């Protein structure tokens, strides 16, 4: 028997007092300044191997800076990692860029909600808040100290053992779409109105800001983008949570379509294309997947071909007329998205494990019904 581990990143907000905040800022500056000095050596000597870089820079910098041995090692790693992508240009680090901590220089007291974090001025004991406290006991490995808009955060790695996936017979099928973000096989749907309104609002603001083209407007654009993404992420979190809760309550699995096909499959009008392309489908899928895994819910990715074309009752190809699906064989008339979601649910129950090689074609060849002649 083995336990599967899932790695997630936990956002932890630090609440330093003024003195502690100053110490953290100085620490960031000194560490990043060391990174730039290391980068100089790496670039001039064209030495990119961690061990060799360490040999070159460790002692000189240990003497010249106030960084602890472990922090200096983290800085060397940061520089070496930065050059891993390519060695064509010299890396320069921002004075307040993120730095990495490991358990030797950072520890948590979960009960008291206090971190003990190394700084230039010694260890600091700083209170923290975390919106997902249930994951705190699973803290493991490294964390990035990030300074953003005057606030300090730790992006901490957590390793959570996945619950045993329960064996289920039935699945909730999820159909993703443009007008409705997600339609479930039981008819529940999640409208994309709110998301589209948010997008349109930011799109208009972006356009008017873009036309100015000043440095200030560039910064504003970046902020707007961040705000839009956070808003979309919040919507995706809400939807994925609702679907997983439903699956849990009804003791069902969750089946979705492989989204790599979604762009080819959906025909979108030009006005919708902009929305479509910036859609956060991939994010919704990943949220659904990890939340399902955490809850021990079976999660299946199915082949999306024919799921919207075949009648979920008799498995013959039908006609789609706008929002409606009509089956000429059995007379089934239903909402096109619900029809697709039901096919996905049935496919999920059919394959029962995460594999994409089961398509509607395999599926219908396994059921004692007349296979459609027009496939
Ligand atoms: Zn039918």
């Amino acid at each position: 028997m083995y336990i599967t581990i899932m790695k997630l990143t936990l956002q932890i907000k630090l609440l330093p007092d003024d003195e502690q905040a100053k110490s953290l800022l100085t620490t960031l500056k000194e560490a990043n300044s060391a990174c730039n000095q290391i980068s100089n050596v790496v670039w001039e000597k064209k030495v990119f191997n961690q061990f060799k870089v360490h040999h070159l820079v460790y002692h000189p910098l240990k003497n010249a800076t106030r960084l602890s041995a472990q922090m200096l090692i983290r800085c060397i790693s940061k520089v070496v990692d930065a050059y891993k992508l390519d060695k064509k240009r010299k890396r320069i680090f921002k004075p307040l860029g993120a730095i990495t901590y490991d358990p030797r220089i950072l520890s948590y007291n979960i009960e008291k909600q206090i971190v003990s974090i190394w700084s230039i001025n010694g260890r600091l004991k700083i209170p923290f808040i975390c919106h997902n406290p249930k994951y705190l006991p699973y803290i493991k490995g490294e964390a990035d100290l990030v300074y953003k808009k005057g606030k300090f955060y730790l992006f901490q790695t957590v390793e959570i053992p996945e619950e045993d996936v329960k064996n289920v017979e039935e699945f909730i099928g999820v159909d993703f779409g443009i007008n409705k973000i997600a339609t479930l096989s039981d008819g529940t749907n999640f409208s994309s109105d709110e998301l589209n309104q948010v997008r349109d609002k930011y799109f208009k603001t972006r356009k008017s800001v873009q036309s100015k083209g000043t440095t200030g407007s560039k910064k504003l654009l970046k902020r707007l983008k961040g705000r839009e993404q956070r808003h979309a992420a919040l919507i995706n979190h809400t939807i994925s949570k609702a679907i997983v809760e439903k699956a849990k309550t009804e003791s069902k699995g969750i089946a979705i379509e492989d989204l790599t096909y979604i762009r080819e499959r959906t025909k979108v009008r030009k006005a919708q294309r902009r929305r479509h392309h910036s859609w956060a489908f991939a994010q919704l899928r990943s949220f659904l997947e990890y939340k399902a895994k955490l809850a021990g819910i079976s999660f299946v990715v199915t082949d999306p071909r024919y799921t919207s074309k075949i009648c979920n009752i008799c498995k013959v190809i039908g006609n789609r007329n706008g929002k409606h699906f009509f089956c000429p064989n059995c007379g089934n008339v239903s909402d096109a998205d619900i029809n697709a979601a039901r096919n996905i649910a049935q496919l999920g129950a059919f394959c029962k494990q995460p594999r994409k090689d089961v398509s509607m074609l395999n599926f219908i060849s396994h059921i004692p019904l007349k296979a459609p002649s027009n496939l």
Side-chain angles (χ1 to χ4, degrees):
M1 193 187 135
Y2 69 97
I3 300 166
T4 338
I5 300 287
M6 186 168 17
K7 278 194 180 187
L8 293 173
T9 306
L10 201 56
Q11 185 176 314
I12 291 164
K13 188 177 179 184
L14 298 181
L15 307 167
D17 60 31
D18 291 350
E19 203 62 32
Q20 290 172 329
K22 266 185 210 159
S23 293
L24 288 180
L25 281 178
T26 320
T27 305
L28 282 177
K29 281 179 195 157
E30 197 146 332
N32 282 298
S33 151
C35 287
N36 282 323
Q37 293 174 60
I38 298 165
S39 185
N40 285 342
V41 176
V42 168
W43 186 248
E44 274 162 29
K45 301 213 187 284
K46 301 285 177 223
V47 172
F48 301 99
N49 168 285
Q50 170 114 19
F51 181 76
K52 287 178 183 162
V53 175
H54 185 105
H55 186 74
L56 282 170
V57 303
Y58 183 83
H59 285 292
L61 279 174
K62 188 74 193 70
N63 295 329
T65 68
R66 289 182 287 168
L67 298 178
S68 74
Q70 196 57 25
M71 183 48 81
L72 193 48
I73 289 170
R74 302 303 336 177
C75 291
I76 295 170
S77 296
K78 179 173 168 172
V79 178
V80 170
D81 285 347
Y83 280 99
K84 271 185 186 151
L85 198 62
D86 72 75
K87 298 164 179 59
K88 289 176 202 146
R89 59 183 179 88
K90 186 177 169 182
R91 298 297 193 277
I92 296 162
F93 299 91
K94 289 180 187 160
L96 296 175
I99 53 171
T100 307
Y101 278 80
D102 62 35
R104 292 193 201 187
I105 40 183
L106 171 73
S107 59
Y108 293 83
N109 184 328
I110 294 166
E111 273 156 39
K112 292 185 181 162
Q113 300 239 350
I114 286 173
V115 291
S116 165
I117 185 167
W118 182 87
S119 82
I120 291 290
N121 303 312
R123 282 267 181 170
L124 306 173
K125 301 233 182 311
I126 304 176
F128 68 83
I129 43 171
C130 174
H131 293 300
N132 292 300
K134 62 180 171 184
Y135 299 142
L136 287 172
Y138 302 107
I139 282 173
K140 197 162 184 189
E142 298 175 356
D144 284 335
L145 175 67
V146 175
Y147 181 68
K148 224 166 79 180
K149 293 177 192 165
K151 301 199 168 64
F152 290 95
Y153 299 89
L154 285 168
F155 288 97
Q156 171 68 53
T157 310
V158 287
E159 292 187 359
I160 302 162
E162 285 173 22
E163 272 190 46
D164 283 344
V165 174
K166 289 163 203 84
N167 210 352
V168 289
E169 293 299 321
E170 281 184 79
F171 278 74
I172 293 175
V174 185
D175 180 63
F176 297 105
I178 306 296
N179 297 316
K180 287 173 253 167
I181 298 178
T183 303
L184 309 187
S185 41
D186 70 352
T188 313
N189 66 65
F190 300 90
S191 154
S192 55
D193 288 351
E194 192 191 345
L195 199 57
N196 286 337
Q197 278 161 17
V198 170
R199 275 166 207 286
D200 286 348
K201 188 187 117 194
Y202 284 114
F203 184 76
K204 274 182 200 146
T205 323
R206 261 208 309 275
K207 264 196 140 173
S208 75
V209 174
Q210 251 160 0
S211 61
K212 293 194 182 95
T214 60
T215 322
S217 67
K218 272 180 198 153
K219 276 186 184 162
L220 178 60
L221 279 175
K222 215 174 159 185
R223 275 214 304 282
L224 283 170
K225 181 126 188 108
R227 228 179 277 167
E228 181 186 346
Q229 280 168 354
R230 279 196 298 281
H231 203 137
L234 191 68
I235 294 172
N236 278 338
H237 267 302
T238 313
I239 295 171
S240 51
K241 197 174 161 187
I243 297 173
V244 169
E245 286 292 321
K246 195 175 183 65
K248 212 170 169 178
T249 318
E250 298 174 5
S251 301
K252 289 178 182 166
I254 295 172
I256 64 156
E257 297 171 285
D258 186 349
L259 294 169
T260 44
Y261 294 84
I262 203 152
R263 271 190 199 168
E264 297 151 38
R265 207 199 62 187
T266 36
K267 288 197 181 75
V268 271
R269 277 179 288 122
K270 208 177 176 187
Q272 280 185 324
R273 202 162 293 154
R274 167 170 48 77
R275 289 175 187 170
H276 186 54
H277 278 271
S278 51
W279 256 76
F281 281 124
Q283 187 185 50
L284 180 55
R285 180 213 156 132
S286 77
F287 286 179
L288 259 179
E289 186 164 11
Y290 91 76
K291 284 183 211 281
K293 277 185 176 174
L294 283 176
I297 287 167
S298 183
F299 183 84
V300 174
V301 180
T302 64
D303 184 330
R305 283 174 299 167
Y306 300 106
T307 52
S308 60
K309 294 187 184 116
I310 286 176
C311 166
N312 79 85
I313 296 167
C314 74
K315 310 299 169 213
V316 163
I317 284 199
N319 303 314
R320 193 178 172 151
N321 186 358
K323 286 177 182 169
H324 299 287
F325 179 89
F326 173 70
C327 173
N329 188 45
C330 72
N332 166 27
V333 180
S334 55
D335 177 278
D337 296 331
I338 298 176
N339 180 66
R342 285 186 181 149
N343 277 329
I344 296 164
Q346 288 161 9
L347 261 182
F350 178 65
C351 48
K352 274 194 186 171
Q353 49 180 321
R355 37 185 277 208
K356 284 182 255 178
D357 54 342
V358 183
S359 71
M360 285 307 289
L361 293 176
N362 301 114
F363 181 39
I364 52 183
S365 66
H366 278 78
I367 49 172
L369 279 170
K370 192 185 80 179
S373 52
N374 49 348
L375 283 185

